[in-house]
Amino acid sequence: MEKSDPAPVSPPPLTILHHDEHLVFPGYDLMVGNGCTGQDEEPGKNPGTARDHGGEAEFPLEGQSSVDVVWYKKHKRKLVVAAIICLLALAGLIAYISARPSLGPRAEASFEGIATFNDYSFQLETQGSTVCGGSESLQPLKPGVFGAAAGDLSPILSAGLCEGSQNTTTPSYNMDLCTLDGGRAPDADTYSGPRCPHARCKPATCYKVENLGPVGSAKGEVLGSTTVQIIDGCPAGSAWNYCKTQYEPEARCSSPTTEALDLDFNAYSALYPGKSYSSGNPEGNANLQIRITPTSC
């Protein structure tokens, strides 16, 4: 009897793996998925990541040459070190900028303060100079630009503390120097005042000043404006200021929370049209609430 051929054997059914299953090979597995977004892709559309169970695979993935793998392995440590150095340098730069002491704004933002007034001609006569020089400190000013002193306790305007100033709301100064004018002024023959930083002198520093009304009144519309150039400091630790106990600290450059400008009294009529300032005898309340804006000189 003739032997018949054996019946054909059917192959085992194929197993369809879902996206979250692994194709397992001896010693390796192939993760199917998008490594950047975390979203699965259809099998065959993403080469995935090949790896062994003890470390990275030694063969390139689809679309990746063996040269790429070798270069990456060779330079991986250097790339990590370079990235760490860059991050540390950036953190150091941010810390330096945050900690750097401010010398006041050179930005265009406006801020508010108080204007007091001074006779700089008298000051030059009695004290000999301003922070930015002698009589020559008044010469560079353009027509319509007036001299001014920046309070050394002012949070924004200050060029730094003058000699002897105390940045506190409860300072302790030598009141024995207050010998004239009923204890409200020092003797100009024996007292010359403290030295102050020159940071505002060169390059020249100017501000637009707008009058918002007398101190103590409600702030209203701008009543007048002018430009001032910083030629002096207004030191809280000067007997010319702290002896004037008849005035509040804000009115004698002695408040650490107030932006104080001590202006040439000739600027008064520009800030307050129709009003005048007489040295030592101001018309009404001479001190003004002001808006201050950095400007070019």
Side-chain angles (χ1 to χ4, degrees), residues 183-255:
R184 296 177 179 179
D187 187 342
D189 292 333
T190 59
Y191 182 79
S192 59
R195 292 175 295 179
C196 294
H198 295 185
R200 293 276 181 250
C201 300
K202 292 182 180 180
T205 302
C206 290
Y207 296 97
K208 178 182 178 182
V209 177
E210 299 172 289
N211 175 18
L212 302 178
V215 169
S217 68
K219 295 176 185 176
E221 61 182 11
V222 175
L223 302 175
S225 66
T226 191
T227 300
V228 300
Q229 179 176 325
I230 302 301
I231 62 170
D232 204 3
C234 188
S238 170
W240 293 102
N241 287 321
Y242 69 70
C243 289
K244 298 176 182 177
T245 54
Q246 71 274 30
Y247 298 121
E248 295 295 325
E250 293 81 1
R252 45 188 167 95
C253 299
S254 298
S255 169

Side-chain angles (χ1 to χ4, degrees), residues 58 106 144 153 181 200 226 270:
E58 298 298 330
R106 300 302 294 179
L153 299 190
D181 192 21
R200 293 276 181 250
T226 191

Side-chain angles (χ1 to χ4, degrees), residues 3 28 30 87 99 162 196 201-202 219-220 251 258 267 290 294 297:
K3 213 176 206 185
Y28 298 92
L30 184 64
L87 289 174
C162 299
C196 294
C201 300
K202 292 182 180 180
K219 295 176 185 176
T258 301
I290 55 173
C297 290

